[in-house]
Amino acid sequence: MTDLPRLILASADPDERADLRAFLADAPVECVDPETPPDEPRGGDYTARATHRARTTAEATGEMAIALCAGLEVYPMDLQPGALTETFHAGLSDAERCQALLQRLAQTPVGQRITVGRAAAALATPGDPNVAVSVSIIECEIPMEPRGEGGYGLDAVTQILNGQTLAELDDADRERLGHRGKAVKPLLQRLG
């Protein structure tokens, strides 16, 4: 227990909460897991989904809440899975999800696997109808095989412009270069 204000990590995914906790390590808040999973939106874009999770969690708990929605828009797949990346082959392990994506692109050659990583982070305060939102985008592509042991989700098949996948980066570089960290970082000033 600390004297710092509490910040609820509005995510049902333990890997995403760990990511948020790492991004917020220097923020003057105590990061707290939700007692119940956040209310999940039924659709919407990245901003709408993150805003919904943060707002409903802040209202339900009476405490500040932060939420993240991140995904990959794969051009050869008509920008899918997009804001619903977290549900892409839900129920499978991360490795199996990566393989499912690679299978979908099996006939797509290197150089044509262009992808955009997008993320939106939302910070809500109870009683305040305005939710602070930050968005980010990174250019990437899908390699021919998964690489790396770090990260989560589809990080092992998200190759950024330096030639590494997000799963090959250390935590600090993943925060600095990845779409999730870039979305969260601007909200840190609102916490101090």
Side-chain angles (χ1 to χ4, degrees), residues 117-187:
R118 287 190 195 272
L123 178 66
T125 303
D128 186 347
N130 299 310
V131 175
V133 176
S134 173
V135 297
S136 71
I137 183 171
I138 61 170
E139 294 178 356
C140 42
E141 65 180 314
I142 307 300
M144 297 303 284
E145 60 187 19
R147 298 192 317 265
E149 301 295 322
Y152 66 97
L154 299 175
D155 285 357
V157 292
T158 304
Q159 180 176 298
I160 61 176
L161 295 180
N162 73 0
Q164 293 179 293
T165 67
L166 292 177
E168 292 178 298
L169 300 175
D170 63 31
D171 291 344
D173 281 344
R174 193 167 40 257
E175 176 180 347
R176 185 173 59 83
L177 301 172
H179 51 315
R180 296 183 299 255
K182 285 183 175 186
V184 172
K185 189 173 184 171
L187 296 180

Side-chain angles (χ1 to χ4, degrees), residues 47-174:
T47 299
R49 293 177 69 79
T51 298
H52 178 82
R53 285 186 192 124
R55 180 180 286 132
T56 58
T57 299
E59 290 171 359
T61 64
E63 300 185 81
M64 287 189 308
I66 191 166
L68 186 60
C69 179
L72 296 180
E73 298 175 358
V74 183
Y75 281 88
M77 292 172 45
D78 296 323
L79 302 181
Q80 296 301 315
L84 298 176
T85 296
E86 65 197 4
T87 63
F88 178 76
H89 291 277
L92 297 181
S93 70
D94 289 346
E96 291 167 327
R97 293 176 67 220
C98 288
Q99 285 301 325
L101 181 61
L102 292 174
Q103 272 188 326
R104 293 269 306 267
L105 295 172
Q107 302 304 313
T108 306
V110 171
Q112 294 180 22
R113 295 167 165 243
I114 306 304
T115 303
V116 170
R118 287 190 195 272
L123 178 66
T125 303
D128 186 347
N130 299 310
V131 175
V133 176
S134 173
V135 297
S136 71
I137 183 171
I138 61 170
E139 294 178 356
C140 42
E141 65 180 314
I142 307 300
M144 297 303 284
E145 60 187 19
R147 298 192 317 265
E149 301 295 322
Y152 66 97
L154 299 175
D155 285 357
V157 292
T158 304
Q159 180 176 298
I160 61 176
L161 295 180
N162 73 0
Q164 293 179 293
T165 67
L166 292 177
E168 292 178 298
L169 300 175
D170 63 31
D171 291 344
D173 281 344
R174 193 167 40 257

